[in-house]
Amino acid sequence: MSALRVSGLSIARAGLPVVSGVDLVAEPGAISVVLGANGAGKTTLLEGLSGIIPVTGGTIAIGGSEVQNALAGLRSRAGLAHVEQGRTVFGQLTTDENLRIGLRKGAGTDEAYGLFPELTQRRQVRGGLLSGGEQQMLVIARALLTRPKVLLIDEMSAGLAPVIVTRLMHTVRRLADEGLAVLLVEQFAALALSIGDRAYVMRRGRFVYDGDCGSLAKAPDELHRLYLGTT
Amino acid sequence: METYFTAAVAGLTAGGAYALLGVCAVFTYRLVAVVNFTGAAIGTAGTFMLISLTEAGYPTWPSVLAGIVTGTAVGVAIGFVMTRWFATAGASTKAAVTAALLVGLIAIGLRLTGGQHPHVMPELFPGSAFRLAGVQVTNASALTIGLAVLFTVASSLFLNGTRTGLHLRALSERPMAAELLGVRVRLLSLFVWGVTGAFTTFALMIIAPQRSPNFMTLSLLVVPALAAALIGLFRSFWLTLAGGIALGILEGLASTVDVVSQYRSAIPFLVILAVLLWSQREARWDEAR
Ligand SMILES: Nc1ncnc2c1ncn2[C@@H]1O[C@H](COP(=O)(O)OP(=O)(O)OP(=O)(O)O)[C@@H](O)[C@H]1O
Ligand SMILES: [Mg+2]
């Protein structure tokens, strides 16, 4: 069974359709990459999936049960985690407190420090005082401690140094290899395609490509065409 | 000199109540981001439950309990309206909504309690606690101030030392990010409204015998409460506490000076005006730089 199965999903913003009739799946152990130009509707898609904004049509199933009408908190408890665009750390809370908020039974903050050892030094430092890279590590680790089946990640590489981006990408790959289903929204297309399994390209709220990452990675011209919509 | 001191001490009961109401207002603002104009009205609803039960001949303390339960329930009901329909609204919209709710509560309350019809409010803690430099400090003032201090200390211990407290702090900073981590945001918000409802009810029960116990007068005690909260800039519990007590003392002192005595209920307005002007000046100063 797919960890996440979405069919015919539509989402409106301020009354205008922004996502229309999207079908997608995220499988355990695999990374599904969503690419698309600025304003294509990628963030809107993820926000609709996690329950930040309501959907106008279609279904969202986590591990087989439909959640499209449930509140965000319930979707989280059903196994969905969302690492939002823009590194939403709790700036007033320490690193350790940030990690403890969503801690589920059987999970411990040690796992987070094992995954990102650099956070250990910053345990008692407020989230707002961490560097961009540390904040990104913190929000990813924080989401993992909720023991998700599906992890949605929105533009984790924005504004970070290339070495850190590569590092984070490898971490995400490893998490998938351990059985997590990942839906990765990215602007760094080449890097995302190199670690991903399945790829979707979004243009004006619709998927214009649905296939494997490998063949898209080998055809940069095709990707360019899909982004811009010139035929 | 001695008359001034006596008057100042006499202002302590009101001051303690303002402090407690103010601290509750700061608690509500910091945790659920609402400047709550209904604070005192919620407590008034609970107080009138107590009044009508004792007027009907029920014993005092069970009626107090029923009153506190009522205040808690009204607080939760207002909280439900705010979290259900105005969770994503801006701070000024939320404040305006609670101001509108205040008008509604006063209208309903006056209707149910017979308008200006005089009521007998039992004095819960008569007598005085101790003497301060020869002046009696009433039980009521010692209790309200003590309760305000207790609320301040207990809420900081709770917020910093428990898992629910951590969730509340997360919720106050980024409600959506907290919810995405599985925090029960709506339930916790209602909890905040319920707790502040219970405490404000108790504060009003203590101060009500000193005021004319009618629904409108008591509900409007939100003005000095918000003035106290403003002195703490809606952030500091301790400054709010001190501000509330200072307001009460100031009112007490004003009552001894004939020319200003009649206008002493305007003192909170003057304080609000002064704090707002002062904070505006800061803002303008920042802009100018
Ligand atoms: N809060 C909002 N209210 C109204 N329209 C919005 C809102 N947020 C986004 N939109 C619109 O929805 C469309 C999709 O935006 P979205 O943020 O989902 O794009 P995106 O693909 O994530 O872009 P980016 O790569 O820049 O993050 C845009 O046209 C945008 O103007
Ligand atoms: Mg986006």
Side-chain angles (χ1 to χ4, degrees):
Chain A
M1 193 194 307
S2 305
L4 175 71
R5 177 172 294 278
V6 175
S7 34
L9 195 72
S10 300
I11 305 167
R13 277 208 119 128
L16 299 171
V18 173
V19 170
S20 320
V22 161
D23 300 318
L24 75 88
V25 289
E27 306 286 355
I31 298 174
S32 300
V33 177
V34 178
L35 303 173
N38 290 123
K42 307 178 296 295
T43 296
T44 303
L45 170 65
L46 294 199
E47 292 187 347
L49 292 178
S50 64
I52 296 176
I53 52 175
V55 302
T56 42
T59 60
I60 303 165
I62 302 170
S65 48
E66 290 195 4
V67 296
Q68 64 274 7
N69 297 319
L71 291 174
L74 204 140
R75 297 186 205 191
S76 157
R77 294 191 286 277
L80 187 83
H82 182 177
V83 173
E84 292 175 85
Q85 187 169 358
R87 304 194 270 274
T88 54
V89 295
F90 297 96
Q92 301 296 320
L93 306 185
T94 64
T95 300
D96 213 57
E97 286 173 330
N98 266 277
L99 291 171
R100 290 203 319 262
I101 296 164
L103 208 60
R104 297 294 149 84
K105 274 212 175 61
T109 52
D110 287 353
E111 291 169 42
Y113 297 120
L115 192 64
F116 298 116
E118 43 272 82
L119 290 181
T120 317
Q121 306 293 318
R122 315 289 270 159
R123 277 186 113 103
Q124 302 307 328
V125 176
R126 280 201 211 159
L129 300 177
L130 300 179
S131 73
E134 288 167 340
Q135 290 185 340
Q136 191 63 60
M137 292 173 197
L138 177 56
V139 290
I140 293 173
R142 192 178 71 183
L144 290 171
L145 294 181
T146 68
R147 287 268 182 271
K149 298 192 197 81
V150 188
L151 181 62
L152 316 178
I153 307 180
D154 199 352
E155 295 199 17
M156 67 173 178
S157 55
L160 298 184
V163 277
I164 297 188
V165 175
T166 314
R167 158 112 195 273
L168 289 175
M169 289 286 182
H170 285 130
T171 306
V172 169
R173 182 66 251 176
R174 208 172 79 220
L175 293 168
D177 290 340
E178 288 164 8
L180 191 65
V182 179
L183 189 66
L184 186 69
V185 166
E186 256 309 325
Q187 292 285 356
F188 278 73
L191 196 53
L193 290 174
S194 74
I195 62 151
D197 300 291
R198 185 163 182 161
Y200 300 95
V201 180
M202 184 173 239
R203 194 170 69 225
R204 296 212 203 123
R206 291 175 192 282
F207 281 163
V208 290
Y209 178 88
D210 171 0
D212 64 296
C213 286
S215 37
L216 201 55
K218 278 186 235 114
D221 292 347
E222 165 76 353
L223 184 61
H224 191 74
R225 187 187 64 76
L226 287 167
Y227 259 62
L228 299 178
T230 45
T231 41
Chain B
M1 194 58 224
E2 209 183 295
T3 47
Y4 290 130
F5 189 66
T6 313
V9 173
L12 281 181
T13 316
Y18 299 164
L20 186 51
L21 291 172
V23 165
C24 283
V26 173
F27 192 72
T28 310
Y29 178 73
R30 285 194 31 182
L31 293 181
V32 296
V34 179
V35 174
N36 179 22
F37 281 91
T38 64
I42 290 169
T44 304
T47 303
F48 267 92
M49 176 55 81
L50 162 67
I51 291 175
S52 46
L53 286 177
T54 48
E55 279 178 353
Y58 288 95
T60 308
W61 290 102
S63 308
V64 167
L65 196 67
I68 290 177
V69 171
T70 306
T72 309
V74 175
V76 170
I78 301 275
F80 182 82
V81 171
M82 297 311 294
T83 44
R84 184 74 182 78
W85 290 292
F86 299 99
T88 54
S92 31
T93 308
K94 287 183 188 170
V97 171
T98 66
L101 286 171
L102 169 65
V103 175
L105 279 177
I106 289 178
I108 297 171
L110 282 176
R111 175 87 176 74
L112 291 179
T113 60
Q116 310 290 334
H117 170 79
H119 287 276
V120 186
M121 171 67 206
E123 197 155 342
L124 296 181
F125 304 96
S128 49
F130 54 88
R131 294 173 78 87
L132 185 70
V135 180
Q136 305 276 1
V137 176
T138 62
N139 272 325
S141 40
L143 202 71
T144 44
I145 293 173
L147 213 58
V149 172
L150 181 81
F151 188 90
T152 302
V153 173
S155 61
S156 116
L157 286 177
F158 175 73
L159 288 176
N160 292 310
T162 66
R163 188 163 161 79
T164 307
L166 174 63
H167 284 175
L168 279 168
R169 283 186 294 145
L171 156 74
S172 72
E173 206 183 320
R174 288 180 177 272
M176 187 42 81
E179 190 170 356
L180 285 175
L181 292 169
V183 171
R184 291 169 201 270
V185 169
R186 287 196 185 178
L187 198 70
L188 283 183
S189 306
L190 293 183
F191 169 81
V192 169
W193 284 93
V195 168
T196 52
F199 272 90
T200 46
T201 303
F202 199 61
L204 274 154
M205 285 175 174
I206 295 172
I207 194 186
Q210 301 195 347
R211 308 281 157 142
S212 53
N214 91 51
F215 206 97
M216 176 127 90
T217 321
L218 292 182
S219 297
L220 289 181
L221 286 175
V222 71
V223 176
L226 290 183
L230 208 54
I231 292 172
L233 296 176
F234 278 93
R235 265 200 312 268
S236 161
F237 288 116
W238 291 109
L239 273 180
T240 301
L241 205 146
I245 294 172
L247 268 178
I249 292 176
L250 216 61
E251 276 188 23
L253 286 176
S255 68
T256 62
V257 186
D258 279 342
V259 268
V260 290
S261 163
Q262 288 186 357
Y263 303 101
R264 76 198 145 106
S265 56
I267 289 173
F269 288 107
L270 293 178
V271 169
I272 290 177
L273 206 64
V275 177
L276 286 179
L277 283 175
W278 174 75
S279 58
Q280 281 300 305
R281 203 190 61 143
E282 293 259 293
R284 246 181 263 137
W285 176 255
D286 281 344
E287 263 168 41
R289 271 188 300 183

